[in-house]
Tab-separated table of all heavy atoms in Angstrom:
chain	number	residue	atom	x	y	z
A	1389	MET	N	111.502	107.165	67.961
A	1389	MET	CA	110.639	107.271	69.100
A	1389	MET	C	111.491	107.123	70.418
A	1389	MET	O	112.130	106.125	70.432
A	1389	MET	CB	109.416	106.488	69.108
A	1389	MET	CG	108.544	106.699	70.340
A	1389	MET	SD	107.016	105.851	70.337
A	1389	MET	CE	106.968	104.545	69.192
A	1390	ARG	N	111.456	107.971	71.364
A	1390	ARG	CA	112.151	107.800	72.546
A	1390	ARG	C	111.341	107.020	73.548
A	1390	ARG	O	110.116	107.055	73.589
A	1390	ARG	CB	112.373	109.179	73.188
A	1390	ARG	CG	113.289	109.988	72.262
A	1390	ARG	CD	113.384	111.445	72.758
A	1390	ARG	NE	114.668	111.529	73.587
A	1390	ARG	CZ	115.094	112.741	74.019
A	1390	ARG	NH1	114.413	113.725	73.880
A	1390	ARG	NH2	116.295	112.773	74.622
A	1391	SER	N	112.111	106.189	74.363
A	1391	SER	CA	111.444	105.386	75.364
A	1391	SER	C	111.082	106.175	76.563
A	1391	SER	O	111.866	107.188	76.932
A	1391	SER	CB	112.261	104.241	75.764
A	1391	SER	OG	113.523	104.661	76.297
A	1392	ALA	N	110.113	105.882	77.311
A	1392	ALA	CA	109.658	106.693	78.501
A	1392	ALA	C	110.681	106.401	79.549
A	1392	ALA	O	111.237	105.281	79.754
A	1392	ALA	CB	108.300	106.264	78.949
A	1393	ARG	N	110.953	107.481	80.433
A	1393	ARG	CA	111.832	107.306	81.562
A	1393	ARG	C	111.046	107.682	82.800
A	1393	ARG	O	110.435	108.629	82.875
A	1393	ARG	CB	113.005	108.156	81.378
A	1393	ARG	CG	113.890	107.806	80.223
A	1393	ARG	CD	115.135	108.691	80.135
A	1393	ARG	NE	115.902	108.280	78.955
A	1393	ARG	CZ	116.793	109.067	78.374
A	1393	ARG	NH1	117.040	110.267	78.860
A	1393	ARG	NH2	117.496	108.575	77.330
A	1394	CYS	N	111.115	106.834	83.783
A	1394	CYS	CA	110.498	106.958	84.974
A	1394	CYS	C	111.456	107.523	85.975
A	1394	CYS	O	112.570	106.981	86.131
A	1394	CYS	CB	109.849	105.642	85.512
A	1394	CYS	SG	109.139	105.753	87.103
A	1395	VAL	N	111.165	108.629	86.729
A	1395	VAL	CA	112.086	109.127	87.721
A	1395	VAL	C	111.477	109.074	89.047
A	1395	VAL	O	110.311	109.450	89.191
A	1395	VAL	CB	112.478	110.645	87.288
A	1395	VAL	CG1	113.409	111.197	88.305
A	1395	VAL	CG2	113.137	110.602	85.949
A	1396	GLU	N	112.207	108.611	89.976
A	1396	GLU	CA	111.791	108.709	91.372
A	1396	GLU	C	112.818	109.293	92.338
A	1396	GLU	O	114.057	108.964	92.257
A	1396	GLU	CB	111.547	107.150	91.874
A	1396	GLU	CG	111.186	107.046	93.312
A	1396	GLU	CD	111.050	105.604	93.684
A	1396	GLU	OE1	111.358	104.614	92.971
A	1396	GLU	OE2	110.713	105.408	94.870
A	1397	VAL	N	112.432	110.191	93.159
A	1397	VAL	CA	113.353	110.970	94.128
A	1397	VAL	C	112.828	110.619	95.437
A	1397	VAL	O	111.679	110.792	95.785
A	1397	VAL	CB	113.314	112.495	93.903
A	1397	VAL	CG1	114.197	113.091	94.840
A	1397	VAL	CG2	113.671	112.821	92.344
A	1398	VAL	N	113.819	110.149	96.309
A	1398	VAL	CA	113.441	109.824	97.665
A	1398	VAL	C	114.501	110.273	98.701
A	1398	VAL	O	115.605	110.514	98.249
A	1398	VAL	CB	113.318	108.226	97.880
A	1398	VAL	CG1	112.237	107.728	97.143
A	1398	VAL	CG2	114.613	107.585	97.701
A	1399	VAL	N	114.168	110.458	99.853
A	1399	VAL	CA	115.109	110.796	100.923
A	1399	VAL	C	115.476	109.406	101.535
A	1399	VAL	O	114.559	108.783	102.029
A	1399	VAL	CB	114.651	111.861	101.913
A	1399	VAL	CG1	115.608	111.944	103.071
A	1399	VAL	CG2	114.301	113.161	101.354
A	1400	SER	N	116.646	109.043	101.463
A	1400	SER	CA	117.027	107.690	101.910
A	1400	SER	C	117.592	107.736	103.311
A	1400	SER	O	118.083	108.720	103.880
A	1400	SER	CB	118.119	107.243	100.905
A	1400	SER	OG	118.707	105.984	101.393
A	1401	SER	N	117.619	106.507	103.859
A	1401	SER	CA	118.264	106.357	105.210
A	1401	SER	C	119.619	105.588	105.032
A	1401	SER	O	120.067	105.090	106.048
A	1401	SER	CB	117.342	105.641	106.182
A	1401	SER	OG	117.004	104.305	105.652
A	1402	ASN	N	120.102	105.470	103.873
A	1402	ASN	CA	121.355	104.848	103.609
A	1402	ASN	C	122.507	105.659	104.193
A	1402	ASN	O	122.281	106.840	104.604
A	1402	ASN	CB	121.669	104.589	102.145
A	1402	ASN	CG	120.860	103.510	101.602
A	1402	ASN	OD1	120.456	102.596	102.362
A	1402	ASN	ND2	120.466	103.653	100.298
A	1403	ILE	N	123.696	105.216	104.196
A	1403	ILE	CA	124.829	106.030	104.851
A	1403	ILE	C	125.794	106.448	103.738
A	1403	ILE	O	126.207	105.636	102.932
A	1403	ILE	CB	125.557	105.058	105.878
A	1403	ILE	CG1	124.513	104.708	106.971
A	1403	ILE	CG2	126.739	105.817	106.466
A	1403	ILE	CD1	125.064	103.740	108.040
A	1404	CYS	N	126.166	107.635	103.851
A	1404	CYS	CA	127.222	108.233	102.960
A	1404	CYS	C	128.544	107.513	103.246
A	1404	CYS	O	129.006	107.571	104.380
A	1404	CYS	CB	127.348	109.689	103.186
A	1404	CYS	SG	128.714	110.491	102.232
A	1405	PRO	N	129.194	107.065	102.279
A	1405	PRO	CA	130.514	106.384	102.484
A	1405	PRO	C	131.679	107.325	102.759
A	1405	PRO	O	132.691	107.006	103.330
A	1405	PRO	CB	130.844	105.636	101.129
A	1405	PRO	CG	130.048	106.360	100.110
A	1405	PRO	CD	128.732	106.911	100.925
A	1406	ASN	N	131.386	108.638	102.488
A	1406	ASN	CA	132.419	109.618	102.694
A	1406	ASN	C	132.405	110.222	104.122
A	1406	ASN	O	133.432	110.386	104.786
A	1406	ASN	CB	132.307	110.712	101.721
A	1406	ASN	CG	133.436	111.711	101.704
A	1406	ASN	OD1	134.569	111.321	101.714
A	1406	ASN	ND2	133.177	112.988	101.722
A	1407	CYS	N	131.179	110.564	104.645
A	1407	CYS	CA	131.093	111.323	105.948
A	1407	CYS	C	130.188	110.572	106.904
A	1407	CYS	O	129.961	111.106	108.026
A	1407	CYS	CB	130.592	112.778	105.631
A	1407	CYS	SG	128.834	112.912	105.256
A	1408	ALA	N	129.542	109.544	106.555
A	1408	ALA	CA	128.633	108.776	107.394
A	1408	ALA	C	127.315	109.323	107.633
A	1408	ALA	O	126.530	108.994	108.552
A	1408	ALA	CB	129.339	108.281	108.690
A	1409	GLU	N	126.925	110.498	106.935
A	1409	GLU	CA	125.666	111.102	107.084
A	1409	GLU	C	124.642	110.051	106.651
A	1409	GLU	O	124.764	109.153	105.859
A	1409	GLU	CB	125.497	112.321	106.172
A	1409	GLU	CG	124.258	112.917	106.092
A	1409	GLU	CD	123.774	113.643	107.450
A	1409	GLU	OE1	124.595	114.240	108.044
A	1409	GLU	OE2	122.625	113.449	107.707
A	1410	THR	N	123.444	110.066	107.396
A	1410	THR	CA	122.419	109.119	107.154
A	1410	THR	C	121.175	109.654	106.380
A	1410	THR	O	120.243	108.907	106.072
A	1410	THR	CB	121.980	108.531	108.487
A	1410	THR	OG1	121.342	109.579	109.280
A	1410	THR	CG2	122.957	107.768	109.180
A	1411	SER	N	121.177	110.970	106.063
A	1411	SER	CA	120.138	111.433	105.195
A	1411	SER	C	120.685	111.751	103.818
A	1411	SER	O	121.288	112.822	103.685
A	1411	SER	CB	119.631	112.639	105.832
A	1411	SER	OG	118.492	113.206	105.131
A	1412	LEU	N	120.372	110.984	102.867
A	1412	LEU	CA	120.810	111.083	101.534
A	1412	LEU	C	119.610	111.305	100.586
A	1412	LEU	O	118.508	110.900	100.912
A	1412	LEU	CB	121.469	109.869	101.014
A	1412	LEU	CG	122.611	109.406	101.859
A	1412	LEU	CD1	123.173	108.029	101.361
A	1412	LEU	CD2	123.749	110.414	101.989
A	1413	VAL	N	119.781	111.957	99.426
A	1413	VAL	CA	118.731	112.112	98.457
A	1413	VAL	C	119.161	111.102	97.351
A	1413	VAL	O	120.346	111.075	96.959
A	1413	VAL	CB	118.676	113.514	97.771
A	1413	VAL	CG1	117.742	113.565	96.653
A	1413	VAL	CG2	118.261	114.457	98.901
A	1414	GLU	N	118.172	110.301	96.864
A	1414	GLU	CA	118.472	109.174	95.867
A	1414	GLU	C	117.532	109.497	94.799
A	1414	GLU	O	116.350	109.597	94.959
A	1414	GLU	CB	118.313	107.854	96.411
A	1414	GLU	CG	119.462	107.592	97.347
A	1414	GLU	CD	119.431	106.208	97.973
A	1414	GLU	OE1	118.402	105.491	97.947
A	1414	GLU	OE2	120.419	105.777	98.490
A	1415	ILE	N	118.046	109.552	93.495
A	1415	ILE	CA	117.193	109.753	92.341
A	1415	ILE	C	117.354	108.549	91.445
A	1415	ILE	O	118.564	108.184	91.038
A	1415	ILE	CB	117.637	111.021	91.588
A	1415	ILE	CG1	117.432	112.251	92.454
A	1415	ILE	CG2	116.859	111.159	90.282
A	1415	ILE	CD1	118.159	113.512	91.897
A	1416	SER	N	116.326	107.853	91.232
A	1416	SER	CA	116.272	106.608	90.512
A	1416	SER	C	115.567	106.811	89.170
A	1416	SER	O	114.509	107.420	89.085
A	1416	SER	CB	115.518	105.427	91.230
A	1416	SER	OG	116.259	105.199	92.378
A	1417	LEU	N	116.089	106.210	88.043
A	1417	LEU	CA	115.500	106.363	86.837
A	1417	LEU	C	115.953	105.187	85.874
A	1417	LEU	O	116.810	104.507	86.232
A	1417	LEU	CB	115.768	107.667	86.030
A	1417	LEU	CG	117.310	108.038	85.849
A	1417	LEU	CD1	117.407	108.798	84.566
A	1417	LEU	CD2	117.792	108.864	86.992
A	1418	THR	N	115.207	104.920	84.854
A	1418	THR	CA	115.581	103.957	83.897
A	1418	THR	C	116.159	104.538	82.629
A	1418	THR	O	115.525	105.523	82.053
A	1418	THR	CB	114.309	103.143	83.502
A	1418	THR	OG1	113.732	102.585	84.823
A	1418	THR	CG2	114.587	101.984	82.632
A	1419	VAL	N	117.298	104.036	82.293
A	1419	VAL	CA	117.991	104.565	81.059
A	1419	VAL	C	118.493	103.428	80.263
A	1419	VAL	O	119.168	102.563	80.740
A	1419	VAL	CB	119.222	105.440	81.474
A	1419	VAL	CG1	119.913	105.926	80.268
A	1419	VAL	CG2	118.758	106.694	82.294
A	1420	GLY	N	117.934	103.351	79.046
A	1420	GLY	CA	118.408	102.290	78.138
A	1420	GLY	C	118.055	100.895	78.669
A	1420	GLY	O	118.832	99.890	78.514
A	1421	GLY	N	116.934	100.783	79.362
A	1421	GLY	CA	116.543	99.467	80.005
A	1421	GLY	C	117.200	99.100	81.318
A	1421	GLY	O	117.037	98.047	81.732
A	1422	HIS	N	118.193	99.966	81.840
A	1422	HIS	CA	118.837	99.748	83.013
A	1422	HIS	C	118.311	100.684	84.086
A	1422	HIS	O	118.042	101.903	83.811
A	1422	HIS	CB	120.301	99.983	82.853
A	1422	HIS	CG	120.967	99.082	81.827
A	1422	HIS	ND1	121.485	97.837	82.257
A	1422	HIS	CD2	121.142	99.282	80.524
A	1422	HIS	CE1	121.962	97.285	81.194
A	1422	HIS	NE2	121.731	98.117	80.148
A	1423	LYS	N	118.229	100.139	85.377
A	1423	LYS	CA	117.794	101.097	86.528
A	1423	LYS	C	119.114	101.761	86.983
A	1423	LYS	O	120.123	101.068	87.396
A	1423	LYS	CB	117.231	100.245	87.615
A	1423	LYS	CG	116.772	101.117	88.731
A	1423	LYS	CD	116.062	100.276	89.764
A	1423	LYS	CE	115.665	101.234	90.999
A	1423	LYS	NZ	115.080	100.502	92.037
A	1424	VAL	N	119.149	103.026	86.950
A	1424	VAL	CA	120.306	103.690	87.434
A	1424	VAL	C	119.864	104.595	88.668
A	1424	VAL	O	118.662	105.000	88.755
A	1424	VAL	CB	121.000	104.555	86.366
A	1424	VAL	CG1	121.626	103.761	85.331
A	1424	VAL	CG2	120.081	105.600	85.828
A	1425	MET	N	120.736	104.833	89.586
A	1425	MET	CA	120.406	105.634	90.691
A	1425	MET	C	121.567	106.547	91.072
A	1425	MET	O	122.686	106.119	91.175
A	1425	MET	CB	120.078	104.752	92.005
A	1425	MET	CG	119.712	105.526	93.169
A	1425	MET	SD	119.148	104.481	94.587
A	1425	MET	CE	120.637	103.610	94.982
A	1426	LEU	N	121.233	107.818	91.239
A	1426	LEU	CA	122.260	108.823	91.778
A	1426	LEU	C	122.003	108.954	93.295
A	1426	LEU	O	120.790	109.272	93.620
A	1426	LEU	CB	122.095	110.158	91.127
A	1426	LEU	CG	122.806	111.291	91.750
A	1426	LEU	CD1	124.339	111.147	91.710
A	1426	LEU	CD2	122.369	112.626	91.057
A	1427	SER	N	123.004	108.812	94.126
A	1427	SER	CA	122.764	109.097	95.606
A	1427	SER	C	123.648	110.310	95.817
A	1427	SER	O	124.798	110.485	95.281
A	1427	SER	CB	123.472	107.943	96.422
A	1427	SER	OG	122.788	106.794	96.180
A	1428	SER	N	123.165	111.165	96.595
A	1428	SER	CA	123.824	112.477	96.935
A	1428	SER	C	123.686	112.812	98.352
A	1428	SER	O	122.660	112.705	98.978
A	1428	SER	CB	123.025	113.612	96.037
A	1428	SER	OG	123.627	114.841	96.382
A	1429	CYS	N	124.790	113.199	98.925
A	1429	CYS	CA	124.928	113.605	100.336
A	1429	CYS	C	124.883	115.184	100.462
A	1429	CYS	O	125.764	115.782	99.829
A	1429	CYS	CB	126.129	113.102	101.030
A	1429	CYS	SG	126.354	113.491	102.693
A	1430	SER	N	123.876	115.676	101.071
A	1430	SER	CA	123.831	117.064	101.302
A	1430	SER	C	124.947	117.615	102.319
A	1430	SER	O	125.134	118.762	102.189
A	1430	SER	CB	122.393	117.459	101.792
A	1430	SER	OG	121.428	117.168	100.832
A	1431	ALA	N	125.216	116.680	103.211
A	1431	ALA	CA	126.263	117.170	104.194
A	1431	ALA	C	127.633	117.437	103.531
A	1431	ALA	O	128.260	118.533	103.773
A	1431	ALA	CB	126.375	116.173	105.298
A	1432	CYS	N	128.144	116.479	102.834
A	1432	CYS	CA	129.540	116.614	102.164
A	1432	CYS	C	129.559	116.820	100.662
A	1432	CYS	O	130.631	116.980	100.200
A	1432	CYS	CB	130.399	115.403	102.694
A	1432	CYS	SG	129.953	113.873	101.838
A	1433	GLU	N	128.366	116.784	99.982
A	1433	GLU	CA	128.198	116.957	98.629
A	1433	GLU	C	128.794	115.884	97.893
A	1433	GLU	O	129.037	116.041	96.593
A	1433	GLU	CB	128.761	118.385	98.155
A	1433	GLU	CG	127.981	119.550	98.850
A	1433	GLU	CD	128.333	120.831	98.329
A	1433	GLU	OE1	128.913	121.021	97.315
A	1433	GLU	OE2	127.900	121.847	99.051
A	1434	SER	N	128.999	114.691	98.328
A	1434	SER	CA	129.378	113.518	97.591
A	1434	SER	C	128.349	113.091	96.844
A	1434	SER	O	127.201	113.097	97.194
A	1434	SER	CB	129.975	112.395	98.536
A	1434	SER	OG	131.197	112.809	99.176
A	1435	ARG	N	128.651	112.458	95.595
A	1435	ARG	CA	127.706	111.902	94.731
A	1435	ARG	C	128.295	110.521	94.190
A	1435	ARG	O	129.448	110.601	93.906
A	1435	ARG	CB	127.335	112.810	93.594
A	1435	ARG	CG	126.526	114.094	94.050
A	1435	ARG	CD	126.237	114.926	92.940
A	1435	ARG	NE	125.555	116.034	93.388
A	1435	ARG	CZ	126.069	117.154	94.002
A	1435	ARG	NH1	127.321	117.232	94.223
A	1435	ARG	NH2	125.265	118.093	94.493
A	1436	TRP	N	127.393	109.554	93.966
A	1436	TRP	CA	127.890	108.248	93.363
A	1436	TRP	C	126.673	107.611	92.710
A	1436	TRP	O	125.523	108.004	92.998
A	1436	TRP	CB	128.475	107.357	94.504
A	1436	TRP	CG	127.671	107.045	95.683
A	1436	TRP	CD1	126.867	105.960	95.768
A	1436	TRP	CD2	127.337	107.851	96.743
A	1436	TRP	NE1	126.190	105.896	96.927
A	1436	TRP	CE2	126.453	107.152	97.611
A	1436	TRP	CE3	127.825	109.172	97.260
A	1436	TRP	CZ2	125.968	107.662	98.852
A	1436	TRP	CZ3	127.352	109.529	98.440
A	1436	TRP	CH2	126.457	108.827	99.188
A	1437	TRP	N	126.926	106.806	91.831
A	1437	TRP	CA	125.969	106.191	90.865
A	1437	TRP	C	125.976	104.640	91.105
A	1437	TRP	O	126.905	103.996	91.426
A	1437	TRP	CB	126.320	106.453	89.486
A	1437	TRP	CG	126.072	107.820	89.051
A	1437	TRP	CD1	126.914	108.921	89.135
A	1437	TRP	CD2	124.832	108.335	88.506
A	1437	TRP	NE1	126.381	110.077	88.567
A	1437	TRP	CE2	124.985	109.677	88.276
A	1437	TRP	CE3	123.634	107.868	88.190
A	1437	TRP	CZ2	124.120	110.535	87.680
A	1437	TRP	CZ3	122.657	108.628	87.565
A	1437	TRP	CH2	122.886	109.927	87.455
A	1438	HIS	N	124.736	104.050	90.911
A	1438	HIS	CA	124.527	102.715	90.782
A	1438	HIS	C	123.863	102.352	89.456
A	1438	HIS	O	122.957	103.160	89.099
A	1438	HIS	CB	123.786	102.047	91.950
A	1438	HIS	CG	124.523	102.075	93.241
A	1438	HIS	ND1	124.503	103.119	94.057
A	1438	HIS	CD2	125.261	101.037	93.858
A	1438	HIS	CE1	125.237	102.750	95.058
A	1438	HIS	NE2	125.694	101.636	95.023
A	1439	LYS	N	124.159	101.231	88.830
A	1439	LYS	CA	123.490	100.743	87.653
A	1439	LYS	C	123.120	99.330	87.915
A	1439	LYS	O	123.943	98.419	88.268
A	1439	LYS	CB	124.357	100.782	86.406
A	1439	LYS	CG	123.613	100.336	85.143
A	1439	LYS	CD	124.618	100.298	83.944
A	1439	LYS	CE	125.178	98.883	84.066
A	1439	LYS	NZ	125.878	98.516	82.876
A	1440	ASP	N	121.745	99.005	87.816
A	1440	ASP	CA	121.303	97.739	88.137
A	1440	ASP	C	121.749	97.084	89.437
A	1440	ASP	O	122.171	95.979	89.584
A	1440	ASP	CB	121.595	96.699	87.041
A	1440	ASP	CG	121.031	97.131	85.622
A	1440	ASP	OD1	119.846	97.709	85.677
A	1440	ASP	OD2	121.633	96.886	84.594
A	1441	GLY	N	121.909	97.927	90.504
A	1441	GLY	CA	122.187	97.574	91.830
A	1441	GLY	C	123.687	97.510	92.183
A	1441	GLY	O	124.109	97.173	93.215
A	1442	GLN	N	124.555	97.840	91.093
A	1442	GLN	CA	126.017	97.705	91.301
A	1442	GLN	C	126.645	99.110	91.082
A	1442	GLN	O	126.207	99.956	90.364
A	1442	GLN	CB	126.666	96.766	90.185
A	1442	GLN	CG	126.106	95.476	90.194
A	1442	GLN	CD	126.543	94.585	91.426
A	1442	GLN	OE1	127.664	94.763	91.842
A	1442	GLN	NE2	125.590	93.948	91.946
A	1443	THR	N	127.674	99.336	91.841
A	1443	THR	CA	128.350	100.662	91.843
A	1443	THR	C	128.799	100.895	90.407
A	1443	THR	O	129.352	99.887	89.758
A	1443	THR	CB	129.660	100.711	92.812
A	1443	THR	OG1	129.132	100.474	94.057
A	1443	THR	CG2	130.226	102.002	92.657
A	1444	SER	N	128.654	102.087	89.935
A	1444	SER	CA	129.032	102.484	88.566
A	1444	SER	C	129.726	103.834	88.482
A	1444	SER	O	129.413	104.654	89.366
A	1444	SER	CB	127.785	102.413	87.660
A	1444	SER	OG	127.981	102.729	86.375
A	1445	GLU	N	130.463	104.027	87.517
A	1445	GLU	CA	131.043	105.324	87.218
A	1445	GLU	C	130.049	106.167	86.461
A	1445	GLU	O	129.239	105.645	85.695
A	1445	GLU	CB	132.367	105.147	86.521
A	1445	GLU	CG	133.494	104.403	87.184
A	1445	GLU	CD	133.952	105.126	88.468
A	1445	GLU	OE1	134.008	106.411	88.335
A	1445	GLU	OE2	134.190	104.481	89.398
A	1446	VAL	N	130.147	107.517	86.704
A	1446	VAL	CA	129.300	108.412	85.953
A	1446	VAL	C	129.434	108.259	84.442
A	1446	VAL	O	128.524	108.393	83.707
A	1446	VAL	CB	129.443	109.858	86.496
A	1446	VAL	CG1	130.722	110.365	86.131
A	1446	VAL	CG2	128.359	110.724	85.926
A	1447	THR	N	130.661	108.002	83.973
A	1447	THR	CA	130.900	107.907	82.533
A	1447	THR	C	130.076	106.655	82.041
A	1447	THR	O	129.601	106.811	80.773
A	1447	THR	CB	132.351	107.605	82.280
A	1447	THR	OG1	132.956	106.548	83.037
A	1447	THR	CG2	133.124	108.941	82.582
A	1448	GLU	N	129.825	105.670	82.719
A	1448	GLU	CA	129.002	104.516	82.259
A	1448	GLU	C	127.539	104.925	82.084
A	1448	GLU	O	126.906	104.547	81.165
A	1448	GLU	CB	129.213	103.346	83.192
A	1448	GLU	CG	128.518	102.082	82.668
A	1448	GLU	CD	128.746	100.927	83.613
A	1448	GLU	OE1	129.483	101.035	84.568
A	1448	GLU	OE2	128.174	99.856	83.216
A	1449	VAL	N	127.140	105.677	83.063
A	1449	VAL	CA	125.665	106.176	83.086
A	1449	VAL	C	125.554	107.127	81.852
A	1449	VAL	O	124.470	106.991	81.111
A	1449	VAL	CB	125.408	106.758	84.347
A	1449	VAL	CG1	123.885	107.386	84.289
A	1449	VAL	CG2	125.430	105.753	85.512
A	1450	LEU	N	126.554	107.949	81.673
A	1450	LEU	CA	126.419	108.943	80.518
A	1450	LEU	C	126.468	108.184	79.145
A	1450	LEU	O	125.727	108.587	78.272
A	1450	LEU	CB	127.517	110.013	80.545
A	1450	LEU	CG	127.505	110.884	81.733
A	1450	LEU	CD1	128.678	111.765	81.813
A	1450	LEU	CD2	126.197	111.807	81.657
A	1451	GLU	N	127.259	107.079	79.002
A	1451	GLU	CA	127.344	106.311	77.865
A	1451	GLU	C	125.895	105.732	77.620
A	1451	GLU	O	125.351	105.673	76.421
A	1451	GLU	CB	128.322	105.279	77.983
A	1451	GLU	CG	128.481	104.384	76.722
A	1451	GLU	CD	128.849	105.060	75.495
A	1451	GLU	OE1	129.562	106.034	75.523
A	1451	GLU	OE2	128.492	104.587	74.415
A	1452	LEU	N	125.191	105.168	78.684
A	1452	LEU	CA	123.832	104.663	78.470
A	1452	LEU	C	122.962	105.727	77.889
A	1452	LEU	O	122.072	105.458	77.045
A	1452	LEU	CB	123.328	104.066	79.875
A	1452	LEU	CG	123.876	102.764	80.367
A	1452	LEU	CD1	123.317	102.559	81.748
A	1452	LEU	CD2	123.467	101.707	79.359
A	1453	ALA	N	122.988	106.901	78.534
A	1453	ALA	CA	122.094	108.018	78.128
A	1453	ALA	C	122.324	108.420	76.750
A	1453	ALA	O	121.450	108.668	75.973
A	1453	ALA	CB	122.259	109.139	79.062
A	1454	SER	N	123.624	108.410	76.240
A	1454	SER	CA	123.919	108.871	74.961
A	1454	SER	C	123.456	107.845	73.906
A	1454	SER	O	123.210	108.241	72.807
A	1454	SER	CB	125.409	109.282	74.756
A	1454	SER	OG	126.108	108.055	74.857
A	1455	GLN	N	123.456	106.551	74.363
A	1455	GLN	CA	123.090	105.523	73.344
A	1455	GLN	C	121.549	105.686	72.875
A	1455	GLN	O	121.282	105.346	71.777
A	1455	GLN	CB	123.250	104.117	73.974
A	1455	GLN	CG	124.759	103.690	74.094
A	1455	GLN	CD	124.892	102.501	74.824
A	1455	GLN	OE1	123.942	101.815	75.252
A	1455	GLN	NE2	126.191	102.088	75.014
A	1456	GLY	N	120.806	106.188	73.792
A	1456	GLY	CA	119.335	106.474	73.453
A	1456	GLY	C	119.095	107.557	72.511
A	1456	GLY	O	118.091	107.691	71.920
A	1457	LYS	N	120.170	108.341	72.284
A	1457	LYS	CA	119.928	109.560	71.355
A	1457	LYS	C	120.600	109.285	69.986
A	1457	LYS	O	120.646	110.154	69.124
A	1457	LYS	CB	120.738	110.680	72.018
A	1457	LYS	CG	120.008	111.206	73.215
A	1457	LYS	CD	120.673	112.415	73.852
A	1457	LYS	CE	119.809	112.794	75.079
A	1457	LYS	NZ	119.962	114.070	75.510
A	1458	ARG	N	121.140	108.120	69.778
A	1458	ARG	CA	121.709	107.785	68.408
A	1458	ARG	C	120.612	107.363	67.453
A	1458	ARG	O	119.622	106.934	67.670
A	1458	ARG	CB	122.744	106.681	68.614
A	1458	ARG	CG	123.983	107.116	69.403
A	1458	ARG	CD	124.891	105.992	69.532
A	1458	ARG	NE	125.963	106.374	70.372
A	1458	ARG	CZ	126.879	105.540	70.844
A	1458	ARG	NH1	126.957	104.383	70.534
A	1458	ARG	NH2	127.797	106.028	71.651
């Protein structure tokens, strides 16, 4: 049985570390018991991830997602 995943999409007032744009889209979800968030800047198209509030590489998030399919 697969666990339920909650997804939340918001327009954030955080600042893009690449171009200093202040309007970002953030997508939060729970994967493998961890809260992960994708932040995306529409101005420069930069994207970055956080896992449990800490900066994370996309490969780590993908590993969490693949563990749920084993």
Side-chain angles (χ1 to χ4, degrees):
M1389 180 176 10
R1390 296 172 101 170
S1391 62
R1393 294 182 181 161
C1394 177
V1395 177
E1396 177 183 359
V1397 179
V1398 298
V1399 176
S1400 171
S1401 60
N1402 289 330
I1403 298 172
C1404 175
N1406 190 50
C1407 72
E1409 175 65 41
T1410 58
S1411 181
L1412 307 175
V1413 173
E1414 294 182 339
I1415 302 171
S1416 298
L1417 59 148
T1418 302
V1419 178
H1422 296 273
K1423 182 178 179 183
V1424 296
M1425 179 174 65
L1426 167 65
S1427 297
S1428 178
C1429 177
S1430 298
C1432 72
E1433 299 186 14
S1434 291
R1435 290 178 180 83
W1436 58 98
W1437 288 90
H1438 286 86
K1439 182 187 88 168
D1440 297 327
Q1442 301 293 317
T1443 302
S1444 180
E1445 296 294 322
V1446 67
T1447 53
E1448 188 176 356
V1449 175
L1450 291 173
E1451 179 65 26
L1452 284 174
S1454 69
Q1455 290 174 0
K1457 295 185 179 197
R1458 292 183 187 168

